[in-house]
Amino acid sequence: MNSTHDGIYIVDSEGKFIEANKGIERISGYKRDKLLGKTGLDLVEMGLIDESVTSKVFKTKKQMSILQTLKHDVVKEVLVTATPIMDKNNNIKYIVATLRDLTELINLKYECEKSKELTNQYFSQLQREKRTNKDIIANSAEMKKTLEIIERIAATETTVLLSGESGTGKDVMARLIHNSSSRSEKNFVTINCAAIPESLLESELFGYEGGSFTGAKTKGKVGSFGLADKGTLFLDEIGSFPLNLQGKLLRALETFEIQPIGAEKSKNVDVRIIAATNQDLEQLVKEGKFREDLFFRLNVVPITLPSLRDRREDIVPLIMYYLKKYNEKYKRKVAFEKEVFEIAENYSWPGNIRELRNIVERLVVISQEERIDYSHLPNKMLEEQSINSSCSINIQEILPLDNLLHEAEKALLNKAFLKYKTTRKIAKALGISQTSVVRKLKKYNIN
């Protein structure tokens, strides 16, 4: 009797409980020794149940099932089935009854439906395509709004400035704009302004005539502007563009004429410009490191891509997307435990999507097990999780107010440091001076 999950009890010919299993105690909350010797009608009079199924069986001498309400600490709905056992004179000798907790079953059904709905939601998100780009997950309101703007401006010829933290997918968005435009059949040319030495950047952009300088190719070189003719030129890391070349870039953007190094005449080009930066260009203008007129020329349609911590609804779908991608690539069957998703949703993701993608690929490649739990995650994720857990203040006893204020201040600084990283941004968010931030971080040993 104790090996089954359901509750089972037996009453004798007088309707008194003579046996009950552990399932009865678990479902009803009533102790077995309190039931023995009592009848179903006794329990009704005591207010423990609303009606007795055994009294009905004594009248009909047939098996019966009823919905019964148990009124213990928590009101429960149970399905009770009572079966009579007859003696040779066709009188009831015993009644065996089973209880099944419908409240528990309803909760389980709800959890299953909720899990199924969530799974379908993630699956639908993974299957959704945004025009010609399959690598964009947009479950959050922030990303949906960003994509709506991109869709509207893609059909135009206007210059776009994409800004956002490193790893937020500015290159992916630039390609989406190109692929969604009338220039999609032409070249999409990318030049990383921070990766090319200043001495070579001009020739990379505008090209050169053969023999125009020592080491130049005899046939010359078509620069990025020339390669992107009738197409799109993506100027990544535009904040790193050398100040002494910004005037020539501005002229090219204003007139759509370029003059290769060593050439006597300018050439007309038909190029759409998309620029991207993870720096504050307005601040660079104030510091004299970026031309104001070039900034205004690039900043026709500014689009700021949200960081991953500002679009947390996209974290799990992104993980599922890259997990599927790298499982297929490396012929693995790696799966993540629920706790991994929970930690990931609470992590600050300073490297944004690039960091998430790299971590998923690393786990798929190096893990020996097929089930990934929290112990496989990078230390920095677990350390941050620990800090976040310690940031909640639980007042369990009366203590000096100063002590509580110190704990609250430390917790707030921890959270601000994890989110903003720089003392200037922390100071702005907290409404205090940068000097105060530095002093308080040192005080609480936050580094």
Side-chain angles (χ1 to χ4, degrees), residues 356-373:
L356 181 146
R357 182 186 66 215
N358 292 346
I359 288 176
V360 173
E361 183 175 14
R362 187 188 316 150
L363 292 173
V364 170
V365 171
I366 68 174
S367 64
Q368 295 179 339
E369 299 91 356
E370 290 190 346
R371 303 293 299 185
I372 301 296
D373 60 26

Side-chain angles (χ1 to χ4, degrees), residues 342-358:
E342 292 173 349
I343 292 173
E345 285 184 309
N346 292 313
Y347 180 52
S348 61
W349 296 108
N352 292 293
I353 300 173
R354 184 183 294 115
E355 182 183 9
L356 181 146
R357 182 186 66 215
N358 292 346

Side-chain angles (χ1 to χ4, degrees), residues 245-293:
L245 291 178
Q246 290 180 18
K248 190 165 186 178
L249 175 61
L250 176 62
R251 180 178 180 278
L253 299 184
E254 291 283 5
T255 64
F256 289 101
E257 291 183 355
I258 61 170
Q259 187 167 2
I261 297 174
E264 295 181 357
K265 295 182 179 180
S266 299
K267 296 181 179 179
N268 292 325
V269 288
D270 176 12
V271 176
R272 182 184 191 170
I273 300 296
I274 301 175
T277 182
N278 59 4
Q279 301 182 63
D280 186 343
L281 291 187
E282 290 187 83
Q283 183 61 32
L284 293 180
V285 170
K286 291 178 182 178
E287 296 172 1
K289 297 177 181 178
F290 203 87
R291 289 180 58 138
E292 186 177 36
D293 47 6

Side-chain angles (χ1 to χ4, degrees), residues 85-283:
I85 297 176
M86 318 301 290
D87 62 14
K88 60 183 180 181
N89 297 320
N90 200 34
N91 294 318
I92 294 178
K93 189 175 183 179
Y94 302 107
I95 296 177
V96 179
T98 60
L99 270 75
R100 178 157 291 181
D101 187 350
L102 293 185
T103 303
E104 189 176 70
L105 290 175
I106 290 170
N107 288 338
L108 285 171
K109 181 184 177 184
Y110 171 76
E111 290 297 326
C112 287
E113 289 176 348
K114 186 177 178 182
S115 177
K116 183 178 179 181
E117 180 182 349
L118 194 60
T119 301
N120 289 338
Q121 180 182 338
Y122 290 155
F123 182 78
S124 298
Q125 183 64 54
L126 294 177
Q127 298 302 312
R128 189 182 301 140
E129 293 183 8
K130 270 293 181 181
R131 293 183 180 263
T132 58
N133 196 308
K134 300 179 181 180
D135 295 329
I136 298 176
I137 301 294
N139 218 36
S140 63
E142 290 80 2
M143 274 307 295
K144 287 178 180 177
K145 183 179 179 181
T146 300
L147 288 178
E148 287 174 3
I149 296 172
I150 286 175
E151 285 191 42
R152 287 201 300 270
I153 60 96
T156 70
E157 294 292 306
T158 187
T159 300
V160 180
L161 177 61
L162 301 171
S163 60
E165 295 179 8
S166 178
T168 49
K170 296 184 286 293
D171 55 337
V172 176
M173 292 302 169
R175 187 170 286 277
L176 175 61
I177 293 171
H178 171 76
N179 289 342
S180 303
S181 72
S182 59
R183 297 173 178 263
S184 59
E185 299 300 320
K186 303 299 181 180
N187 288 341
F188 176 80
V189 179
T190 298
I191 183 165
N192 189 319
C193 303
I196 301 173
E198 182 177 341
S199 58
L200 300 178
L201 186 57
E202 183 177 2
S203 61
E204 288 294 323
L205 270 175
F206 306 113
Y208 58 81
E209 295 293 314
S212 56
F213 56 86
T214 303
K217 296 179 181 178
T218 55
K219 292 183 179 180
K221 180 177 180 178
V222 178
S224 299
F225 268 94
L227 291 173
D229 192 27
K230 303 294 191 297
T232 303
L233 177 59
F234 177 44
L235 301 173
D236 199 8
E237 303 289 354
I238 190 65
S240 300
F241 202 89
L243 186 61
N244 66 312
L245 291 178
Q246 290 180 18
K248 190 165 186 178
L249 175 61
L250 176 62
R251 180 178 180 278
L253 299 184
E254 291 283 5
T255 64
F256 289 101
E257 291 183 355
I258 61 170
Q259 187 167 2
I261 297 174
E264 295 181 357
K265 295 182 179 180
S266 299
K267 296 181 179 179
N268 292 325
V269 288
D270 176 12
V271 176
R272 182 184 191 170
I273 300 296
I274 301 175
T277 182
N278 59 4
Q279 301 182 63
D280 186 343
L281 291 187
E282 290 187 83
Q283 183 61 32

